[in-house]
């Protein structure tokens, strides 16, 4: 030790469900993290999470903890429709925020969220976790290095078979799959090309009678540089899980197979396969990449706090991807093509 004490960041986790648990799992044991409190409206979930991850406090109402001087960072991992209100409460109490995507379920709330973030001195990072994923950063570099020529087509399918329809239904109450998950992949399309999505269209449907809105959406997009893409997403009891992540260029293509989809080589990591048309050759990379790099996200936020760095993605990039999803949803619902 050089005599300088490492700052420990006090964490308040709000929402101990699917993604909240992954956040705390990825950070609770780190030297610079102190899990101050975990909160869920379901007391039992909060209690178990506190016990498992050694939180000092737990409860059902975040107002009980949010003003504590021991809290530096609030992690918002609740339903999408609650993100804006909890952001406001966090900022009003002088806290930094790591907020789950999407920022909101509708455009008005999304604009308010963006404006609040841009006008506060506290730091806010929105969890577009693929920005912190080693495989995605490797693919971005391969594209930037010209390995596949000019990127022309992006193909993304990201659907899953529902194992807990009640939970999926609660998420669908706030937004459709194109908004919920499209924020990740429209951001990837804009990040990888350095271009902007300028046109959206698509279609959607309900496969469950009690789905609050389309639980399946297929969106098509055009980017300003001539690249096109599709994003297919759905969750339901009769939908199969499908993962397609493919980037097609003028000289070749890149295909990502996640570790979990590699039946016999899972231990190798993610598989990035590069096809070069000239020579008709393949190159494969095994990438030891954590799908949801939760500590990487917190490290990014801490760097924003300590060094005033812009974060990745920036609030403008987050909002741009969110705006595309809202317009894509509108295009699907009205069977129109929308130019942005
Ligand atoms: N980044 C990703 O890859 C990713 C993946 C899944 C979900 N998400 C996002 O994370 C958010 C949560 O999704 P999930 O899958 O974890 O849902 P979930 O239903 O598994 O968990 C949400 C939890 O929040 C709790 N909760 C709701 N309102 C609350 C409040 N006001 N105070 C305290 N607790 C509250 C619920 O009881 C529940 O336990 C959504 O916005 C979703 O879109 C992101």
């Amino acid at each position: 030790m050089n005599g300088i004490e490492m700052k420990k960041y006090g964490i308040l986790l709000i929402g101990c469900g699917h993604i909240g648990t992954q956040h705390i799992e990825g950070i609770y044991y780190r030297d610079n993290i102190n899990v101050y409190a975990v909160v869920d409206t379901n007391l039992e979930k909060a209690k178990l999470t506190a016990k498992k991850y050694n939180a000092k406090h737990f409860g059902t109402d975040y107002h009980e903890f949010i003003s504590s001087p021991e809290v530096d960072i609030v992690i918002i991992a609740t339903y999408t429709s609650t993100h804006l209100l909890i952001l406001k409460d966090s900022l009003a109490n002088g806290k930094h925020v790591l907020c789950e995507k999407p920022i909101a379920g509708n455009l008005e709330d999304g604009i308010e969220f963006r404006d609040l973030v841009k006008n506060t001195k506290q730091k806010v990072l929105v969890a577009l976790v693929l920005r912190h994923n080693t495989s995605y950063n490797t693919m971005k570099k391969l594209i930037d290095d010209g390995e596949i020529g000019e990127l022309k087509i992006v193909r993304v399918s990201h659907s899953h078979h529902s194992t807990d329809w009640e939970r999926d239904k609660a998420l669908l109450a706030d937004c459709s799959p194109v908004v919920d998950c499209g924020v990740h992949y429209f951001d990837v399309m804009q990040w990888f090309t350095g271009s902007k999505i300028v046109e959206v269209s698509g279609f959607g449907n309900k496969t469950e009678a009690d789905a609050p809105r389309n639980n399946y959406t297929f969106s098509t997009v055009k980017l300003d540089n001539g690249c096109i893409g599709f994003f297919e997403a759905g969750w339901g009891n009769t939908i199969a899980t499908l993962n397609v992540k493919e980037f097609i260029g003028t000289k070749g293509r890149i295909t990502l197979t996640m570790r979990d989809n590699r039946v016999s080589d899972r231990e190798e990591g993610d598989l990035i396969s590069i096809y070069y048309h000239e020579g008709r050759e393949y190159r494969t990379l095994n990438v030891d990449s954590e799908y949801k790099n939760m500590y990487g996200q917190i490290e990014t936020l801490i760097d924003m706090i300590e060094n005033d760095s812009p974060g990745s993605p920036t609030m403008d990039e987050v909002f741009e991807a969110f705006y595309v999803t809202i317009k894509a949803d509108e295009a699907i619902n009205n069977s129109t093509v929308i130019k942005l």
Side-chain angles (χ1 to χ4, degrees), residues 12 17 82 148 202 204 234 260:
L12 167 60
T82 65
I148 60 166
D260 283 356

Side-chain angles (χ1 to χ4, degrees), residues 12 27 109 154 157 259 261:
L12 167 60
I27 67 170
D109 284 1
V154 179
S157 286
R259 183 191 299 254
N261 296 120

Side-chain angles (χ1 to χ4, degrees), residues 166-237:
E166 289 308 314
R167 171 182 160 254
D168 289 347
K169 219 164 59 176
L171 292 170
L172 285 164
D174 284 344
C175 57
S176 71
V178 66
V179 178
D180 191 315
C181 249
V183 286
H184 286 304
Y185 294 97
F186 293 147
D187 177 59
V188 165
M189 290 179 195
Q190 299 191 126
W191 175 36
F192 278 15
T193 57
S195 185
K196 299 291 173 218
I197 293 170
V198 291
E199 189 182 298
V200 289
S201 57
F203 49 80
N205 217 337
K206 283 188 190 184
T207 59
E208 305 290 333
D210 59 348
R213 47 166 49 86
N214 288 333
N215 62 308
Y216 173 88
T217 53
F218 188 106
S219 339
T220 57
V221 304
K222 286 185 185 167
L223 289 103
D224 206 21
N225 69 345
C227 180
I228 59 167
F230 76 75
F231 172 69
E232 180 193 36
W235 26 97
N237 292 316

Side-chain angles (χ1 to χ4, degrees), residues 303-339:
D303 192 62
M304 291 164 73
I305 296 166
E306 293 182 354
N307 302 313
D308 199 28
S309 57
S312 177
T314 63
M315 191 60 229
D316 283 334
E317 289 167 330
V318 168
F319 185 80
E320 280 163 6
F322 166 74
Y323 183 74
V324 173
T325 69
I326 293 288
K327 289 294 165 185
D329 200 35
E330 193 180 312
I332 288 168
N333 292 333
N334 300 330
S335 298
T336 51
V337 176
I338 298 181
K339 295 204 185 288

